[in-house]
Amino acid sequence: MPLPCSPNQNHLLAALPTAEYERLVAHLEPVPLRLGEMLYEPGGQLQHAYFPTTAIVSLHYVTESGASAESAGVGNEGVVGISLFMGGDTTPSSAVVQTAGHAYRLEGRVLKQEFNRAGMMQRLLLRYTQALITQMSQTTVCNRHHSVEQQLCRWLLMALDRVPSRELVMTQELVAGMLGVRREGIRDAAGQLQRAGLIR
């Protein structure tokens, strides 16, 4: 995969004033993210934050039994690893690459230093965290009150908002894991959307 052309493909980084952006650029490492790659596991020590440019990362809440469902997705609008600046180095969720692509990786220590400067980076990260919490709340309500077809539509639209192309490559098993439903339910829902001409 070719490397992304610029950290500016991530909306948080692009919104930084020039001085703050230039302070960070030397510390940003472009990394490819492969489908299914685990960026962190529940309870694990976070070492890096990831600013996706073309990849999408799925945040999953994992139960004691090992079952999981997506609580939120992170694409080029955000950052993976909010625990680093919100007061903890561990998280109860896991982060798995849902759509392969690229991101810029930043050491947790550098992110904390920049956050503690109390400049624009801090304000952007706090506003993004509020948006992420809102997304998690909406996901909870959707999973409780919407049909599998409605959940699948919502998930597809959010994924399409985050990718540069208009195509998504995925398996029924992947989507079932994201939504926390049986694969048969996804197959039936996808069949209905295909018959309606909404997906291929």
Side-chain angles (χ1 to χ4, degrees), residues 5-16 21 28 53 76 104:
C5 59
S6 169
N8 278 321
Q9 289 175 273
N10 179 279
H11 300 315
L12 284 179
L13 296 176
L16 288 173
Y21 179 80
L28 293 169
T53 53
N76 61 356
Y104 280 85

Side-chain angles (χ1 to χ4, degrees), residues 119-189:
M120 181 57 79
M121 178 61 123
Q122 183 187 77
R123 292 194 291 280
L124 287 170
L125 290 173
L126 289 174
R127 281 168 47 196
Y128 170 70
T129 301
Q130 182 181 18
L132 187 66
I133 291 168
T134 300
Q135 183 190 158
M136 290 176 173
S137 300
Q138 290 173 336
T139 299
T140 301
V141 172
C142 181
N143 290 348
R144 175 68 179 87
H145 295 287
H146 294 163
S147 68
V148 175
E149 291 84 5
Q150 290 170 318
Q151 292 177 50
L152 178 58
C153 286
R154 177 183 170 277
W155 187 86
L156 289 170
L157 289 170
M158 290 187 73
L160 284 170
D161 279 347
R162 293 175 169 130
V163 294
S165 71
R166 303 312 300 162
E167 285 194 14
L168 295 171
V169 178
M170 66 194 74
T171 64
Q172 291 176 0
E173 185 175 354
L174 171 76
V175 179
M178 297 295 171
L179 298 180
V181 299
R182 292 179 305 120
R183 186 175 168 185
E184 294 77 21
I186 292 299
R187 186 178 60 233
D188 295 343

Side-chain angles (χ1 to χ4, degrees), residues 58-142:
S58 178
L59 306 182
H60 283 246
Y61 190 85
V62 183
T63 66
E64 286 185 15
S65 69
S68 72
E70 183 180 69
S71 57
V74 181
N76 61 356
E77 82 288 349
V79 60
V80 178
I82 64 168
S83 295
L84 288 165
F85 58 84
M86 292 299 290
D89 292 326
T90 63
T91 176
S93 62
S94 63
V96 183
V97 178
Q98 160 191 319
T99 302
H102 289 92
Y104 280 85
R105 185 167 67 185
L106 182 66
E107 283 186 42
R109 156 188 75 77
V110 176
L111 181 66
K112 288 178 195 175
Q113 286 173 355
E114 195 60 41
F115 184 84
N116 290 333
R117 287 177 185 267
M120 181 57 79
M121 178 61 123
Q122 183 187 77
R123 292 194 291 280
L124 287 170
L125 290 173
L126 289 174
R127 281 168 47 196
Y128 170 70
T129 301
Q130 182 181 18
L132 187 66
I133 291 168
T134 300
Q135 183 190 158
M136 290 176 173
S137 300
Q138 290 173 336
T139 299
T140 301
V141 172
C142 181

